[in-house]
Every structure is written in C-alpha cells, then in structure tokens.
Amino acid sequence: QTVVTQEPSFSVSPGGTVTLTCGLSSASVSTRYYPSWYQQTPGQAPRTLIYNTNSRSSGVPDRFSGSILGHKAALTITGAQADDESDYYCVLYMGGGIWVFGGGTKLTVL
Amino acid sequence: QVQLMESGGGLVKPGGSLRLSCAASGFTFSDYYMSWVRQAPGKGLEYLSYISTGGTTINYADSMKGRITISRANAENSLFLQMHSLRVDDTAVYYCARLRQGNYFDYWGQGTPVTVSS
C-alpha cells in the first residue's frame, strides 16, 4: 500500500519561511508523480495551490512555491501571513487513475 | 466562473445506499475528467474515484471499490456517485472535484455530508 507522508504539524512565525514536505514510503518523489498541493481551512473546501510540482494555480500568491527537495516534494511559504494558518495536503498521482493524498500538515502561524 | 455543487448527502443506516450528485457550471463539463474525494470528520482527504470525459474510463480507490459507482451525464452537466453497503466509517464530507491535465484537482465543490449511523 502506497503511503504519502507529510509532517503532522508545523509552526512558523509571521513573516517567516516554512517548507512542508511530501514523501513516499517506498520511493523518492519526482516530477513524474505530478505533485500537487492544496490548502484547506476548517469547514471549507480545499483550494488548489500548486500543481505539476511547481506551477501555481490561478490567483495563488507567489509566496507559495513548489519544488522537489532531495527525495520529496516540497511546498514553501515565504513571508507567512496569519491567514496561511490552514491544513495543507499534498497529492501524488500514481498513474492509472489513482491519486494518493498525504495525511496533511496543520500549519500554525504564531 | 467554475462552480461545482454537490447534493444528495444525508443520514443513512449502515448497509444503506445513497446517490450523490454534483452539478457543474461555468465550464464545458464534457471536456473534463471528474472525480470524487471524501474527508472523514477530523481526518484528511481521500481520493475515491475518477471518470473520463465520455465515461468510458473509470477507476476506483481500493477503500470503496465494489461499493461505489461513478457516472456522469454530460447533457445535464452532472456527476454522480452511487454508494451502497454503507458503513459507519463511510461517514464523511464528499467532494466532487474537476481534474485538469489528467493529473491534478483544480476546482472543488463545497461538499455534501454523509452520515452513516443507526
């Protein structure tokens, strides 16, 4: 069974920079998994932030960026703001019409 | 603008069935793959199923395979998820999401809650 791993929680100071990661239990994450990232605040639908590793979705501020760092996908938030406090999910496309979500990272801005 | 609106959720007894709908607007529905994703209370997102533009290619995640059927009616701009043999652990908010470039979810509905309880 494929497991996509994310840090359960992370904390960043306002104005600071934070990098959240997305790994695979059994392999390195590469662009071939088309990593994407989603932001979700409680009670709301997810919002698409990043797709195809590092492409920003329409309307997403450029303080959000995606990359591959080592053997994981990464979401970096530069100049964190209070309203960035959310849950962040990565998704990897495994091919054959199968997507696997990570467990999500709860980001606190304080 | 792109809008996805789910409906059909509610309270159902274990072993029961439910049919969810997703009404799409603001784009040419028949041009896009569509999907269903769910989120159990306090838990993360979980991919369930996708369907190709014409409905000829379908896939299901293992978690609900055999108990769900995805379908679409392009003439009605609608996506469906038929669920049966529901269990308590199927309690979740069910989202429909549009797929883009065949590999990521670009628009999401607001979700419809399903509660499975006796």
Side-chain angles (χ1 to χ4, degrees), chain A residues 33-34 36 38 40 43-48 50-52 57-58 89 91 93 95-103, chain B residues 33 35 37 39 43-47 49-50 59-62 95 99 101-111:
Chain A
Y33 290 100
Y34 302 97
S36 53
Y38 305 84
Q40 188 184 37
Q44 299 297 313
R47 171 197 182 197
T48 304
I50 300 288
Y51 62 95
N52 292 350
S57 192
S58 176
Y89 293 92
V91 179
Y93 179 53
I98 295 294
W99 289 262
V100 181
F101 283 84
Chain B
Y33 289 13
S35 67
V37 174
Q39 185 170 36
K43 302 294 185 183
L45 299 165
E46 178 187 19
Y47 161 74
S49 180
Y50 97 102
N59 212 336
Y60 300 105
D62 287 343
Y95 295 99
L99 280 163
Q101 300 178 5
N103 62 52
Y104 76 99
F105 311 94
D106 67 343
Y107 283 95
W108 300 71
Q110 284 302 305

Side-chain angles (χ1 to χ4, degrees), chain A residues 27-41:
Chain A
S28 294
V29 177
S30 66
T31 57
R32 78 177 184 92
Y33 290 100
Y34 302 97
S36 53
W37 292 88
Y38 305 84
Q39 177 190 49
Q40 188 184 37
T41 52

Side-chain angles (χ1 to χ4, degrees), chain A:
Chain A
Q1 182 182 355
T2 300
V3 177
V4 175
T5 60
Q6 295 184 249
E7 299 87 358
S9 63
F10 230 116
S11 181
V12 62
S13 299
T17 295
V18 62
T19 296
L20 312 181
T21 68
C22 174
L24 262 178
S25 56
S26 55
S28 294
V29 177
S30 66
T31 57
R32 78 177 184 92
Y33 290 100
Y34 302 97
S36 53
W37 292 88
Y38 305 84
Q39 177 190 49
Q40 188 184 37
T41 52
Q44 299 297 313
R47 171 197 182 197
T48 304
L49 295 177
I50 300 288
Y51 62 95
N52 292 350
T53 305
N54 56 13
S55 297
R56 259 185 306 276
S57 192
S58 176
V60 173
D62 60 7
R63 66 176 186 276
F64 292 92
S65 62
S67 63
I68 299 290
L69 283 182
H71 56 280
K72 294 184 178 183
L75 173 71
T76 299
I77 306 173
T78 304
Q81 299 180 2
D83 61 2
D84 294 336
E85 187 161 294
S86 300
D87 295 325
Y88 291 86
Y89 293 92
C90 75
V91 179
L92 301 180
Y93 179 53
M94 311 310 289
I98 295 294
W99 289 262
V100 181
F101 283 84
T105 297
K106 184 177 184 63
L107 181 67
T108 301
V109 180
L110 52 74

